[in-house]
Amino acid sequence: MATGTWQAPEGAVGPPEFLPELDVPAPDRQRRWTVLLRWLLLIPQFVVVWVLSVLAVPAAIVGWFGALVLGRLPDPIERYLAGFVAYDTRVRASAMLLVDDYPPFAWDGGDHPVRVELRPGELNRLAVFFRLILMIPAAIVQSLLTGGWYVAAFVIWLIVLILGRMPEPLYGATAAVLRYGMRFGAYVLMLTSAYPKRLFGDEGLPPIAAARSATRPLMLSTGAKALVVLFLVLGLASGISNAFRSDGDGYDYDARGRSTTATASPAHTTAATETNPLTAGSRP
């Protein structure tokens, strides 16, 4: 693919970090029957993504040790994890109603319009060693974004079902959530050294000759930015609500007032699943 979306400032030392890029076509008409049954139709894809995520865990562990030794991911691990991130992103783009095209059961994506560009390369060994600590701020943002979007998912689904397409502000905000999640996954899996950023779009970046797609560059309207903030707020409110429910369900008290641990509630289990960086955002 062509390069040139970012220019290193004068005097920069070393190669620039490449921030993973997402290409999604502009919002278009969608078949209402596929919108109505979207998550039902995607059940086979959710199963595949779950299997791939299970396999990605040992691959990431092996890759972590390999990156500490080699300064980059071993080639087989790199190819698998890059393919997993791209596959997961295509499924999530469909689940989040950004595109009407059904994601193919193909590793390379075929001619599917949702594309991910990753350029794995050299890694800072110190950053690799502390990756689980460094990812915490981005993990919090990712958790709030994903949780907030799914809180609003029914309303979003209803809007797209009625209109037959996704309105531009909602499209921009949803694409921002998807892109941030893709960049977060790529960072966690050591496919890039660039920390997830530009949640609110690409304004202020050097201009490029021509736009690659509707999300490259991603230019968010005021309404889209407001919706991104709304997703963050909804995610925070949902997290607080789940925490209170977990506290209420997680402990029982005997007649003497002593606390005893009870069986984990479904809400607690769901909250724990959402914090997994390999599966967050992939569920319906």
Side-chain angles (χ1 to χ4, degrees), residues 10-219:
E10 294 184 4
V13 179
E17 295 178 322
F18 178 77
L19 194 59
E21 293 287 358
L22 173 68
D23 290 303
V24 180
D28 200 358
R29 301 292 302 180
Q30 299 197 37
R31 295 165 293 176
R32 286 182 173 85
W33 75 268
T34 65
V35 174
L36 178 66
L37 303 175
R38 182 64 53 91
W39 287 355
L40 183 63
L41 295 171
L42 286 174
I43 287 177
Q45 292 286 1
F46 294 143
V47 173
V48 172
V49 169
W50 179 81
V51 172
L52 293 176
S53 69
V54 170
L55 297 176
V57 173
I61 294 173
V62 173
W64 184 79
F65 284 104
L68 286 177
V69 175
L70 303 175
R72 62 170 298 149
L73 288 174
D75 288 342
I77 299 296
E78 177 185 291
R79 286 193 296 270
Y80 178 79
L81 294 179
F84 165 70
V85 168
Y87 195 107
D88 175 66
T89 301
R90 291 192 294 269
V91 173
R92 284 193 288 145
S94 181
M96 299 174 81
L97 305 175
L98 284 171
V99 293
D100 194 40
D101 302 69
Y102 192 83
F105 292 96
W107 197 243
D108 61 359
D111 58 355
H112 194 266
V114 176
R115 313 294 295 182
V116 171
E117 183 176 358
L118 299 167
R119 298 181 190 173
E122 297 298 319
L123 297 168
N124 183 301
R125 289 179 175 85
L126 191 61
V128 170
F129 185 79
F130 290 105
R131 184 69 47 132
L132 290 178
I133 297 175
L134 294 173
M135 65 176 254
I136 290 175
I140 294 172
V141 174
Q142 163 66 5
S143 178
L144 294 179
L145 280 173
T146 303
W149 192 93
Y150 279 104
V151 168
F154 176 76
V155 175
I156 295 172
W157 171 80
L158 199 60
I159 290 172
V160 178
L161 182 63
I162 293 173
L163 299 180
R165 63 182 299 150
M166 181 172 283
E168 187 281 328
L170 187 55
Y171 170 88
T174 301
V177 173
L178 178 65
R179 189 177 74 164
Y180 191 90
M182 179 273 294
R183 288 175 171 176
F184 172 70
Y187 179 78
V188 171
L189 296 176
M190 296 161 290
L191 293 166
T192 179
S193 59
Y195 204 77
K197 56 177 73 75
R198 299 177 195 161
L199 172 60
F200 291 95
D202 295 328
E203 290 183 4
L205 294 180
I208 59 177
R212 312 290 182 86
S213 66
T215 58
R216 191 174 181 190
L218 181 60
M219 309 303 290

Side-chain angles (χ1 to χ4, degrees), residues 214-240:
T215 58
R216 191 174 181 190
L218 181 60
M219 309 303 290
L220 299 186
S221 65
T222 302
K225 292 177 181 178
L227 285 172
V228 172
V229 174
L230 177 62
F231 293 153
L232 289 169
V233 172
L234 289 176
L236 179 60
S238 176
I240 293 173

